[in-house]
Amino acid sequence: MKRILSLLGTIWAWWPVWLFAALVAFAIFAPWLAPFDPDRQNLLGRLKSPGFESRGAVYLLGTDELGRDVLSRLIYGSRASLAVAALSVLLSGVVGVLVGMAAGYMRGWVETVLMRLVDIFLSIPAILLAIITVAVLGPGFVNVIIVLALTRWPRYARVTYGQTLAIADRPYVTLARSMGASPLRVLGLHILPNIIGPLLVVATLEFGLMVLFEAGLSFLGLGVQPPTASWGSMMSTGRNYIATAWWIAMFPGGALFLLVLSANLIGDRLGDRIGEGR
């Protein structure tokens, strides 16, 4: 009995991981999980409440202003939010890590130029920079990824810079340099593996922030464009019907909350584990 309770306790302790995995599974298997085509319209069944039934079909989360199934659009919308967040985190992480390691290892004028550039980007409000850049490049899936990566790489650079400074003068790094190892070899084999832990924590926390940024841009009409479903655009449409059809905005808002919450809690757990391991 104690083993069963201990196992249940362990499973419950990692509930953010299971929740995050479930949301990712919804995105991956959307074509098989969605009960209807997310773009199929039914004007005779518009703005119907959750549980509405028509011609033998049940709309569990109701329909929107065009009679589209909210559950199907919610499931497909997870694809846009997760894909934008994941690709943005990957792109911004690669750029930020390269800049931070170069500044922390090369020192001198390279350090000065790169870190002043980081300071400039950090001094501009991220959402303002994102809105201005999207307004210039135009809305769209690819442009949103570029914009979010452009606004968030300095955080990776700052963390990587500090971690690289702390490791660059360690004996094993000095020994590798004295034996003729190239800077790329030192950075790739001796520095990066020792700073990857804190960077994973930053990436996990940034993932939740990227989801919020994507939803905010889509809410303003600057993100993923219709008819592609996204949680931000669903909430933007639903705000016009909040008094009569609350479910259009409420369900994507709840899904967004759960995704960001699980990502942030996973980041906190990773940070605690890494801190305990030191």
Side-chain angles (χ1 to χ4, degrees), residues 168-188:
D169 294 327
R170 296 281 179 89
Y172 59 87
V173 177
T174 303
L175 179 61
R177 285 201 299 261
S178 64
M179 294 180 65
S182 66
L184 288 178
R185 184 178 178 83
V186 173
L187 290 173

Side-chain angles (χ1 to χ4, degrees), residues 12 17 27 39 54 78 116 132 136 154 156 175 193 198 254 264:
W12 172 250
V17 177
D39 298 325
S54 175
S78 64
R116 294 299 76 77
I132 293 175
V136 173
Y156 293 94
L175 179 61
N264 287 343

Side-chain angles (χ1 to χ4, degrees), residues 101-180:
M101 286 199 303
Y105 185 78
M106 301 299 291
R107 310 287 177 86
W109 67 268
V110 175
E111 176 186 15
T112 302
V113 171
L114 292 179
M115 296 316 296
R116 294 299 76 77
L117 181 63
V118 169
D119 291 337
I120 292 173
F121 272 86
L122 288 175
S123 66
I124 304 174
I127 190 64
L128 176 61
L129 180 60
I131 292 174
I132 293 175
T133 309
V134 169
V136 173
L137 297 179
F141 182 83
V142 176
N143 287 347
V144 169
I145 294 172
I146 295 174
V147 166
L148 293 180
L150 179 65
T151 58
R152 299 308 300 173
W153 69 266
R155 185 175 182 187
Y156 293 94
R158 177 65 70 182
V159 173
T160 305
Y161 170 71
Q163 294 292 321
T164 302
L165 284 178
I167 293 178
D169 294 327
R170 296 281 179 89
Y172 59 87
V173 177
T174 303
L175 179 61
R177 285 201 299 261
S178 64
M179 294 180 65

